[in-house]
Amino acid sequence: MSKVLISNLSNFEGKEVEVSGWVANFRSSGKIAFWQLRDGSGFVQAILLARRSLGGGGDAIELSDEKWQESKKVTLETSVKLLGVVAKHPKKEEFELQVKDFSFIQIAEEYPIGKKDHGPDFLLDNRHLWLRSSRQWAIQRIRNTLILATYEFFNKNNFIKIDSPILTPSACEGTTELFEIDYFGEQKAYLSQSGQLYLEAAIFAHGRVFDFGPVFRAEKSKTRRHLTEFWMMDAEMAFINLEDNLEIQENLIRQMVKSVLEKNKLELIMLERDVKPLENITKPFYKIMHKEAVKKLKELGSDIKEGDDMGADDETILTKQYDNPIFITHYPKEVKAFYMKRDPLDDSRVLCADLLAPEGYGEIIGGSQREDNYEELLKRIKENNLPQSAFEWYLDLRKYGSVPHGGFGFGLERITAWVCGIQHIRETIPFPRTINRLNP
Ligand code: 4AD
Ligand code: MG
């Protein structure tokens, strides 16, 4: 008897197999019952037949009277081991299980998540159970594909993974969003907002590096795009300019989306995701300077000004106008981080780009050319009132063989939300942390 995962059933047509899983749904009428079985790898319909009293059932696989009676004890989320024969669905490109025998592993108590509509708070309070529902299952599968595609891309392109620290002595992105920790009563430590600064050190040893891990932002934002803990991938490269940087980002995002289109057809259907906008990914991304974007936004009715950062609403308005991701480049220096290199052609701007996902999604990547001159960087640190002592090591990198370099960072949840076509990023991470949620 082969123990088989549901995703492999198609290789066992006509054979008897053992499948273990959970009953995600069930219904019965008369002498037939259907269990929708989930084992993690997929879903399959199991068909249970009662014995017909007059016999003459032909080849039909029937349960003993005793088993048929027992089958009526099934509840939602009951765990079960089944013995059955794999059969092709008479109409669809699917396989079914004709059940010969089964044993309950545990008959579940009444499951709190039913068929009726639940509000988001109830579902989030029950996140430990909600993860099992088919939509949530599909989202996590797609997230996983995006992670794998990221590793594959960097591996193919001569990057190595460098793990940056999570406990840090200083801010990377901005001091207002730091989670502070008392470090043995001797000093303060902060949870990392991005591993970028540490990756900058690593390029001098390895040329091209990336990290991928949790980062933390004590942002008081209650938007559908903000989490206080999320997964960021930072990439950093020596000897590149802004143009090279954007090319790498474009190729990475293209490979990630392509990978989901190839590997997660079922999941995209379950999420009712219109894949047409994702299929556009083969076309070149748009590139617009911040100045131009502001002009366009004003035409579209925004009250944004020349020197403003782009707000979430502006990004939504703008990205609804485009059918593919858009790079916005050359932001005003005031709205960007201290480490970004100034544009030699316009000192009021920095050599940076945010990548905005289309269909109203907005920023998924932030990146830039880094200031590689010691004196200039020191000036920025002072202008920003950052503690110079905590940045001495970072300044050192500009003393010993400094080179033009740059990189970028993406937020995995933002990309997952866009690719899945879902509204709120809290559904894209297994256990979301927001300003008002730390449970479960
Ligand atoms: O634009 P950010 O702040 O850039 C950096 O941290 C750079 N140090 C990255 C680098 O150059 N290596 O953040 C990068 C990305 C954003 O584009 C967004 O996708 C995501 O991280 N992000 C968030 N995702 C969820 N919740 C939040 N609060 C986020 N803040 C940023
Ligand atoms: Mg940003």
Side-chain angles (χ1 to χ4, degrees), residues 336 354 363 366:
K336 288 294 183 191
D354 278 5
E363 182 186 343

PDB file of all heavy atoms in Angstrom, residues 336 354 363 366, ligand 2:
ATOM      1  N   LYS A 336      14.155  61.182   1.473  1.00  0.00           N
ATOM      2  CA  LYS A 336      14.805  59.875   1.413  1.00  0.00           C
ATOM      3  C   LYS A 336      15.910  59.739   2.459  1.00  0.00           C
ATOM      4  O   LYS A 336      16.320  60.716   3.081  1.00  0.00           O
ATOM      5  CB  LYS A 336      15.367  59.633   0.004  1.00  0.00           C
ATOM      6  CG  LYS A 336      14.272  59.365  -1.031  1.00  0.00           C
ATOM      7  CD  LYS A 336      13.551  58.045  -0.755  1.00  0.00           C
ATOM      8  CE  LYS A 336      12.506  57.695  -1.800  1.00  0.00           C
ATOM      9  NZ  LYS A 336      11.650  56.574  -1.381  1.00  0.00           N
ATOM     10  N   ASP A 354      11.956  53.893  -6.459  1.00  0.00           N
ATOM     11  CA  ASP A 354      10.976  53.014  -5.823  1.00  0.00           C
ATOM     12  C   ASP A 354      10.295  52.274  -6.953  1.00  0.00           C
ATOM     13  O   ASP A 354       9.993  52.874  -7.988  1.00  0.00           O
ATOM     14  CB  ASP A 354       9.925  53.828  -5.059  1.00  0.00           C
ATOM     15  CG  ASP A 354      10.410  54.259  -3.678  1.00  0.00           C
ATOM     16  OD1 ASP A 354      11.592  54.002  -3.360  1.00  0.00           O
ATOM     17  OD2 ASP A 354       9.611  54.861  -2.932  1.00  0.00           O
ATOM     18  N   GLU A 363       4.182  50.894  -3.820  1.00  0.00           N
ATOM     19  CA  GLU A 363       5.584  50.531  -3.568  1.00  0.00           C
ATOM     20  C   GLU A 363       5.790  49.084  -3.126  1.00  0.00           C
ATOM     21  O   GLU A 363       5.230  48.633  -2.139  1.00  0.00           O
ATOM     22  CB  GLU A 363       6.176  51.456  -2.495  1.00  0.00           C
ATOM     23  CG  GLU A 363       7.641  51.146  -2.237  1.00  0.00           C
ATOM     24  CD  GLU A 363       8.252  51.932  -1.074  1.00  0.00           C
ATOM     25  OE1 GLU A 363       7.662  52.951  -0.660  1.00  0.00           O
ATOM     26  OE2 GLU A 363       9.318  51.505  -0.596  1.00  0.00           O
ATOM     27  N   GLY A 366      12.231  49.537  -2.539  1.00  0.00           N
ATOM     28  CA  GLY A 366      12.931  50.807  -2.402  1.00  0.00           C
ATOM     29  C   GLY A 366      14.416  50.539  -2.613  1.00  0.00           C
ATOM     30  O   GLY A 366      14.947  49.568  -2.092  1.00  0.00           O
TER      31      GLY A 366
HETATM   32 MG    MG B   2      10.436  52.991   0.724  1.00  0.00          MG
END
